[in-house]
Amino acid sequence: MASPGANALTSRDIGLVINTADPYSVEVGEFYIQARKLTPEQVLRVEFPVKASLTPEEFEHLKTEIDARFNGGTQALALAWKMPYAVACNSITAAVTMGYDPTPCEQTRTCFTTKPSSYFDSRSLKPYSSFGMRLSMLLAATDVAGAKALIERGVVSDRSLLRRGAPSTNAYFVVTKDRDRNSRAPLFPPSGPIQGSGVVVRTERTQAIEGVEHLVLYETGAIQVDKLDTLKWVPGALADHLTSFGGQLDGKSGQMSILDWIASGATASYGTVSEPCAFQQKFPHPKVLLSSYLMGSTAIEAYWRSVAWPQQGLFIGEPLAAPFARR
């Protein structure tokens, strides 16, 4: 992973895609242009269907437009919408970043291995230049107001936790009684302070944490995570739960959506859009995610580095949030 003090991606490295058929996308996209001071050359406006999942043919049109617009200097993309979140059984962020893969969409194959990510635990600071992977993340929230608040948290977070007087923060890794959804528990780091970071790791056995302040990271495994309204997040916080359909953003799965993390105050999250069968590799690796973020990476870099098999996984949040970034 990146060495301490290395530069993370900046607003100069990112492109923005706006769906002109989607009022949410247009308003959120324009807000993001101002918030991150993007130039006209960094923005693609294109029209495509507003629905949960694109067909491969519909996606091919979008991908062609993206590839034609952005050059080799664009290392990452902010996608200004919450729907579509999938292309068949692929997530939209994986399809944009790695290309659409029809193989896991064959009957029952979503429970098998999927295409590995060359960027997993990578040291590269230029994912597109190094691997041909233009990392992508949805600017997704429950509504436009929530998306604007999300973007503002991301901007405010930049370098915020390395400033003199910054509060110490808490990173929680929770082992619940849900054995099937706790496949990551062996990967959780031990409890204790991380020297020089101001972060205290707390690995606990409980169903849900409650009343925690200065929360920078929360990972668990559960269909539903309770007591989110009692938590106080720092800007730039990351949070996710291992469950089958957290990445389905239309609210029809019967499981908690990763939009709930954003609504509660987190700045980025991750979940799968089709049945992953609890493979560890299809979810963020706790130690890789934490260490990459602490090294100064942006949210999009840290989350993408932490998932070995991301084809079914959706990344949402403010991509450039970087509370541990160095100048």
Side-chain angles (χ1 to χ4, degrees), residues 12-96:
R12 295 187 297 273
D13 301 308
I14 200 165
L16 172 69
V17 185
I18 296 172
N19 183 1
T20 58
D22 180 4
Y24 171 103
S25 183
V26 172
E27 188 169 352
V28 171
E30 294 299 331
F31 189 83
Y32 197 65
I33 291 170
Q34 299 303 314
R36 287 299 185 183
K37 298 179 173 57
L38 304 184
T39 66
E41 293 73 26
Q42 291 176 275
V43 182
L44 169 65
R45 293 176 175 85
V46 63
E47 183 176 344
F48 53 92
V50 181
K51 58 181 181 177
S53 181
L54 296 181
T55 66
E57 293 75 23
E58 290 166 337
F59 172 72
E60 188 59 35
H61 167 70
L62 172 60
K63 188 67 162 59
T64 298
E65 294 281 350
I66 289 172
D67 291 343
R69 178 63 174 178
F70 299 108
N71 60 30
T74 305
Q75 303 296 319
L77 294 173
L79 309 178
W81 63 84
K82 60 179 176 179
M83 301 254 281
Y85 56 78
V87 181
C89 74
N90 291 206
S91 77
I92 189 80
T93 52
V96 167

Side-chain angles (χ1 to χ4, degrees), residues 64-303:
T64 298
E65 294 281 350
I66 289 172
D67 291 343
R69 178 63 174 178
F70 299 108
N71 60 30
T74 305
Q75 303 296 319
L77 294 173
L79 309 178
W81 63 84
K82 60 179 176 179
M83 301 254 281
Y85 56 78
V87 181
C89 74
N90 291 206
S91 77
I92 189 80
T93 52
V96 167
T97 301
M98 301 174 64
Y100 170 67
D101 183 1
T103 305
C105 304
E106 298 169 4
Q107 188 174 9
T108 75
R109 288 198 61 84
T110 62
C111 279
F112 286 70
T113 61
T114 54
K115 183 192 300 184
S117 167
S118 302
Y119 189 65
F120 175 68
D121 204 13
S122 165
R123 296 177 181 272
S124 174
L125 299 174
K126 298 292 182 182
Y128 187 74
S129 301
S130 298
F131 306 112
M133 294 174 63
R134 194 172 278 126
L135 310 182
S136 64
M137 180 173 271
L138 287 188
L139 294 170
T142 53
D143 53 27
V144 169
K148 290 180 178 180
L150 164 68
I151 292 166
E152 289 173 340
R153 290 197 297 274
V155 173
V156 168
S157 78
D158 293 350
R159 300 182 297 276
S160 60
L161 296 180
L162 291 181
R163 295 173 183 156
R164 181 173 295 179
S168 60
T169 55
N170 297 295
Y172 271 83
F173 299 89
V174 173
V175 184
T176 70
K177 295 178 181 178
D178 190 335
R179 187 177 65 180
D180 291 341
R181 293 173 179 82
N182 275 279
S183 62
R184 289 187 297 182
L187 306 177
F188 286 168
S191 294
I194 299 177
Q195 186 176 6
S197 70
V199 175
V200 179
V201 171
R202 305 181 190 276
T203 299
E204 298 188 359
R205 292 184 176 274
T206 184
Q207 286 305 103
I209 60 174
E210 181 177 8
V212 174
E213 298 185 351
H214 305 306
L215 186 58
V216 71
L217 180 60
Y218 184 4
E219 290 199 320
T220 186
I223 291 176
Q224 175 72 41
V225 183
D226 297 324
K227 304 178 182 178
L228 295 184
D229 59 340
T230 73
L231 306 177
K232 304 296 183 184
W233 307 87
V234 296
L238 312 179
D240 60 76
H241 61 303
L242 192 155
T243 192
S244 294
F245 306 121
Q248 294 186 5
L249 306 186
D250 57 5
K252 297 179 180 180
S253 72
Q255 299 184 4
M256 173 178 147
S257 164
I258 53 178
L259 290 177
D260 289 357
W261 290 113
I262 303 301
S264 74
T267 304
S269 188
Y270 172 92
T272 48
V273 303
S274 55
E275 179 56 65
C277 292
F279 281 100
Q280 291 176 344
Q281 297 93 330
K282 294 183 181 182
F283 291 88
H285 189 297
K287 293 177 183 176
V288 174
L289 178 64
L290 177 61
S291 61
S292 182
Y293 213 35
L294 294 184
M295 290 289 185
S297 297
T298 59
I300 193 170
E301 292 169 286
Y303 254 131

